[in-house]
Each structure stands twice: as C-alpha cells, then as structure tokens.
Amino acid sequence: MPALKTICVYCGASTRVDAVYRETAARTGELLARSGFNVVYGGGRLGLMGIVADNALANGAHVTGIIPTLLQDIEGAHPGLSEIEIVDTMHTRKRKMSELADAFIILPGGFGTLDELFEILTWRQLQMHDKPIVIINTNSYWNPLKLLISNIIEEKFATPAHATFAKFVASPDEAIGALTDLPEPELGFAGQHV
Ligand code: AMP
C-alpha cells in the first residue's frame, strides 16, 4: 500500500458527550498532525469534529473541511480551517471527503457517523476502493457494533473477509499505528477508486 497522506475523520457533532470522548478527539487531531498527515473532515466547529480540527490545526496539520450549505447554519462551519469547501448536498460532502482520503478514522459518533462509516465499508465490500478503515473504540463505545458485525457474519449476511475491512483499535495511538500496519484485503480489488 502506498504511503498514506490524507486521513478522513468521521466522528460525532454532539457537544454533550463525556470528557473521555473529547480527549480521544483531541489526541486523534494532535497525533494526526504530529505524524505529518493532512486531515479532511466534515468542516464543523462543534463536538468531536471541532475538537479534532482544533487539535490538528494547533499541531500544524493542513485541515480541509467539507460542509454542505444546509449545515453551515445548523452546525456551523469551523472558522479557522486551512481549507473549507461548501458543497450542495450531504451526498456530495461524503463523496468529496472519501475522494480526498487515503484512509479513514472513525471516532465515537451518532447516526451521521454510522452513515459515513457504513458507506465507506460497503464501498470497500463492493471493491470501489481499498482504503484502510480504523475504528477507535473509546470507552468500548463501539462494542455493540462489533457484536452486530459478528452476528452479520454468523448468519452469513457477510463473509469473515468482510469483517477485516474495519479494524477496531482501543486508542488514537493504536489507530495511527494501524494505519501503517493493516493487512491487505482478502478480496481482490477492482481498482475503481471512490
Ligand atoms: P453525528 O454522528 O450524528 O453527530 O453526525 C456527524 C456528522 O455527520 C455531522 O456533521 C452530521 O451533520 C453529519 N451527517 C449526518 N447525516 C449525514 C448524512 N446522511 N450524510 C453526510 N453527513 C451526515
């Protein structure tokens, strides 16, 4: 796998979450910057999204935000980003974020984060890309998702190979390590990039 340059971060926009999640977001932003990665994310200033961006920027990363017109008012665009792109729809946002990314880090989040995660997971399953996907399981937040994935495989709605597409790690430090140490996908890759 060629060297990774730009990492897309998907995470929650809620401002009401426990400090343990905010610490994960801060450390993720800091480590991404210190490891020399560019960051792309949804462009918001609130919640874990804003914290990742703040800490990546503070440590010298180039941070690009992709935000739909609709969310500029609801969530608020981050005012201090290296680059911000205003797009027309949520679908364009997700497409642009995934196109710019060489890999994905998923932090705890809500429905929006799950939507983003499952889109890139299914695109990988469909061999539309072969980019690493790393899920940070802070506070065991994603344990129910791990269980669901096990059940999906147990009941043969997906294969064990599909489960390897998303790597669960315990911390931002492990996530950065995993980005350079992921196994090759077991399915062939058709070479069609998102
Ligand atoms: P959440 O995990 O629900 O806090 O959402 C995280 C981010 O994903 C927020 O910026 C949401 O506005 C965004 N989001 C929610 N639904 C979608 C969607 N269908 N497509 C793209 N982004 C979304």
Side-chain angles (χ1 to χ4, degrees):
M1 163 127 6
L4 308 174
K5 202 160 172 246
T6 301
I7 310 301
C8 177
V9 180
Y10 295 138
C11 59
S14 170
T15 54
R16 295 170 294 114
V17 299
D18 195 271
V20 71
Y21 300 114
R22 297 200 298 270
E23 282 156 18
T24 285
R27 181 77 177 149
T28 301
E30 178 194 339
L31 281 182
L32 284 169
R34 286 203 193 167
S35 308
F37 291 119
N38 298 330
V39 176
V40 61
Y41 83 114
R45 65 182 167 82
L46 297 178
L48 302 194
M49 294 174 69
I51 295 172
V52 170
D54 286 343
N55 284 272
L57 289 164
N59 287 280
H62 185 278
V63 181
T64 303
I66 315 283
I67 194 161
T69 320
L70 169 78
L71 286 188
Q72 266 185 296
D73 297 331
I74 300 173
E75 291 185 355
H78 192 296
L81 300 179
S82 321
E83 262 180 80
I84 183 120
E85 193 170 342
I86 316 293
V87 295
D88 51 354
T89 67
M90 302 296 261
H91 286 109
T92 311
R93 175 199 229 184
K94 284 190 290 185
R95 182 172 54 75
K96 291 246 171 188
M97 287 168 76
S98 61
E99 278 173 359
L100 289 174
D102 299 313
F104 303 89
I105 289 183
I106 292 86
L107 272 58
F111 297 151
T113 303
L114 276 173
D115 177 76
E116 291 163 328
L117 166 63
F118 274 101
E119 184 156 273
I120 48 147
L121 256 185
T122 52
W123 285 354
R124 177 131 182 204
Q125 189 179 32
L126 295 169
Q127 301 180 42
M128 293 166 65
H129 73 90
D130 64 350
K131 299 173 183 179
I133 301 166
V134 179
I135 301 174
I136 303 182
N137 194 20
T138 302
N139 199 30
S140 303
Y141 177 78
W142 292 118
N143 279 7
L145 175 63
K146 284 168 98 170
L147 210 58
L148 177 61
I149 291 174
S150 296
N151 197 46
I152 287 170
I153 289 157
E154 181 83 12
E155 298 295 334
K156 302 187 178 65
F157 286 98
T159 69
H162 295 144
T164 65
F165 294 159
K167 183 178 175 73
F168 288 85
V169 298
S171 68
D173 296 66
E174 276 185 45
I176 299 297
L179 285 181
T180 50
D181 190 30
L182 281 174
E184 289 298 311
E186 287 180 29
L187 293 184
F189 170 54
Q192 179 192 354
H193 284 273
V194 292

